[in-house]
Coordinates of all heavy atoms in Angstrom, one line a residue:
V1 N -12.3 3.4 3.5 CA -12.6 2.2 2.7 C -12.4 1.0 3.6 O -11.5 1.0 4.4 CB -11.6 2.1 1.5 CG1 -10.2 2.1 1.9 CG2 -11.9 0.8 0.7
R2 N -13.3 0.1 3.6 CA -13.3 -1.0 4.6 C -12.7 -2.3 3.9 O -12.8 -2.5 2.7 CB -14.7 -1.3 5.1 CG -15.3 -0.1 5.9 CD -16.6 -0.5 6.6 NE -17.2 0.6 7.3 CZ -16.9 1.1 8.4 NH1 -15.8 0.7 9.1 NH2 -17.6 2.2 8.9
D3 N -12.1 -3.1 4.8 CA -11.7 -4.4 4.4 C -10.8 -4.4 3.2 O -10.9 -5.2 2.3 CB -13.0 -5.3 4.1 CG -12.7 -6.7 4.4 OD1 -11.6 -7.1 5.0 OD2 -13.5 -7.6 4.0
L4 N -9.8 -3.6 3.2 CA -8.9 -3.4 2.2 C -7.5 -4.1 2.5 O -7.0 -3.9 3.6 CB -8.7 -1.9 1.9 CG -7.6 -1.6 0.8 CD1 -8.2 -2.0 -0.6 CD2 -7.3 0.0 0.8
R5 N -7.0 -4.9 1.5 CA -5.7 -5.4 1.7 C -4.8 -4.9 0.5 O -5.0 -5.2 -0.6 CB -5.8 -7.0 1.6 CG -4.5 -7.7 2.1 CD -4.6 -9.2 1.8 NE -5.7 -9.8 2.5 CZ -5.6 -10.4 3.6 NH1 -4.3 -10.4 4.2 NH2 -6.6 -11.0 4.3
P6 N -3.7 -4.2 0.9 CA -2.9 -3.6 -0.2 C -2.2 -4.7 -1.0 O -2.0 -5.8 -0.5 CB -1.8 -2.9 0.6 CG -2.4 -2.6 2.0 CD -3.3 -3.7 2.2
Q7 N -2.0 -4.4 -2.3 CA -1.3 -5.3 -3.2 C 0.1 -5.5 -2.8 O 0.7 -6.6 -2.9 CB -1.5 -4.9 -4.6 CG -2.9 -4.9 -5.1 CD -3.0 -4.4 -6.5 OE1 -2.4 -3.4 -6.9 NE2 -3.9 -5.0 -7.4
S8 N 0.7 -4.4 -2.4 CA 2.1 -4.4 -2.0 C 2.4 -3.3 -1.1 O 1.6 -2.3 -1.0 CB 3.0 -4.2 -3.3 OG 2.8 -2.9 -3.9
A9 N 3.5 -3.4 -0.3 CA 3.9 -2.4 0.6 C 5.4 -2.4 0.8 O 6.0 -3.4 0.8 CB 3.2 -2.7 2.0
A10 N 5.9 -1.2 1.0 CA 7.4 -1.1 1.2 C 7.7 0.1 2.1 O 7.0 1.2 2.0 CB 8.1 -0.9 -0.2
A11 N 8.7 0.0 2.9 CA 9.1 1.0 3.8 C 10.0 2.0 2.9 O 10.8 1.5 2.1 CB 10.0 0.5 5.0
I12 N 9.8 3.3 3.0 CA 10.5 4.2 2.1 C 11.1 5.3 3.1 O 10.7 5.5 4.2 CB 9.7 4.9 1.0 CG1 8.5 5.6 1.6 CG2 9.1 3.8 0.1 CD1 7.6 6.4 0.7
G13 N 11.9 6.2 2.5 CA 12.5 7.4 3.2 C 13.6 7.0 4.0 O 14.1 5.8 4.0
A14 N 14.1 8.0 4.7 CA 15.4 7.8 5.6 C 15.0 6.7 6.6 O 14.0 6.8 7.4 CB 15.7 9.1 6.3
E15 N 15.9 5.7 6.6 CA 15.7 4.6 7.7 C 14.4 3.9 7.5 O 13.9 3.3 8.5 CB 15.9 5.1 9.1 CG 17.3 5.8 9.3 CD 17.4 6.4 10.6 OE1 16.4 6.4 11.5 OE2 18.5 6.8 11.0
G16 N 13.7 3.9 6.3 CA 12.5 3.2 6.2 C 11.4 3.8 7.1 O 10.5 2.9 7.5
K17 N 11.3 5.1 7.3 CA 10.4 5.6 8.3 C 9.0 5.6 7.8 O 8.0 5.5 8.6 CB 10.9 7.0 8.6 CG 10.1 7.7 9.8 CD 10.7 9.1 10.1 CE 10.0 9.6 11.3 NZ 10.6 11.0 11.6
H18 N 8.7 5.8 6.5 CA 7.4 5.8 6.0 C 7.0 4.6 5.2 O 7.8 3.7 4.8 CB 7.4 7.1 5.1 CG 7.9 8.3 5.7 ND1 7.4 8.8 6.9 CD2 8.9 9.2 5.4 CE1 8.0 9.9 7.3 NE2 9.0 10.2 6.4
L19 N 5.7 4.6 4.9 CA 5.1 3.4 4.2 C 4.5 3.8 2.9 O 3.6 4.8 2.8 CB 4.1 2.7 5.2 CG 3.3 1.5 4.6 CD1 4.3 0.4 4.5 CD2 2.2 1.1 5.6
R20 N 4.8 3.0 1.9 CA 4.1 3.2 0.5 C 3.5 1.9 0.2 O 4.1 0.9 0.2 CB 5.2 3.6 -0.5 CG 4.5 4.0 -1.9 CD 5.6 4.3 -3.0 NE 5.0 4.8 -4.1 CZ 4.4 4.2 -5.1 NH1 4.2 3.0 -5.0 NH2 3.9 4.9 -6.1
M21 N 2.2 2.1 -0.2 CA 1.4 0.9 -0.6 C 0.8 1.1 -2.0 O 0.6 2.3 -2.4 CB 0.3 0.7 0.4 CG 0.8 0.4 1.8 SD -0.6 0.5 3.0 CE -0.7 2.3 3.1
E22 N 0.5 0.0 -2.7 CA -0.4 0.0 -3.8 C -1.7 -0.6 -3.4 O -1.8 -1.7 -2.9 CB 0.3 -0.8 -4.9 CG 1.6 -0.2 -5.5 CD 1.3 1.1 -6.3 OE1 0.2 1.2 -6.9 OE2 2.3 2.0 -6.3
V23 N -2.8 0.2 -3.6 CA -4.1 -0.3 -3.2 C -5.0 -0.3 -4.4 O -4.8 0.6 -5.3 CB -4.6 0.5 -2.1 CG1 -3.8 0.4 -0.8 CG2 -4.8 2.0 -2.4
G24 N -6.0 -1.1 -4.4 CA -7.0 -1.2 -5.6 C -7.0 -2.5 -6.1 O -6.8 -3.6 -5.4
T25 N -7.2 -2.6 -7.4 CA -7.2 -3.9 -8.1 C -5.9 -3.9 -9.0 O -5.2 -3.0 -9.2 CB -8.4 -4.0 -9.0 OG1 -8.4 -3.0 -10.0 CG2 -9.7 -3.8 -8.2
R26 N -5.8 -5.1 -9.7 CA -4.5 -5.3 -10.5 C -4.6 -4.4 -11.7 O -3.6 -3.8 -12.2 CB -4.5 -6.7 -11.0 CG -4.1 -7.7 -9.9 CD -3.9 -9.1 -10.5 NE -3.4 -10.0 -9.5 CZ -3.1 -11.3 -9.7 NH1 -3.4 -11.8 -11.0 NH2 -2.7 -12.1 -8.8
T27 N -5.8 -4.0 -12.2 CA -5.9 -3.2 -13.4 C -6.1 -1.7 -13.0 O -5.9 -0.8 -13.8 CB -7.1 -3.7 -14.2 OG1 -8.3 -3.7 -13.5 CG2 -6.9 -5.1 -14.7
Q28 N -6.6 -1.4 -11.8 CA -6.8 0.0 -11.4 C -6.3 0.1 -10.0 O -7.0 -0.3 -9.0 CB -8.3 0.3 -11.6 CG -8.6 1.8 -11.4 CD -10.0 2.2 -11.7 OE1 -10.8 1.3 -12.0 NE2 -10.4 3.4 -11.6

């Protein structure tokens, strides 16, 4: 998917090693 900006992002896991994002639109 091109030109995507995540709605939110957070470091997760031990010592914040991994990245979790919410992508898409507000409704989907």
Side-chain angles (χ1 to χ4, degrees):
V1 58
R2 298 194 187 278
D3 207 9
L4 178 69
R5 192 188 298 267
Q7 295 176 320
S8 63
I12 61 171
E15 303 176 352
K17 189 176 182 180
H18 309 300
L19 180 65
R20 186 184 192 280
M21 299 166 284
E22 293 290 330
V23 298
T25 65
R26 289 186 177 181
T27 58
Q28 189 173 2

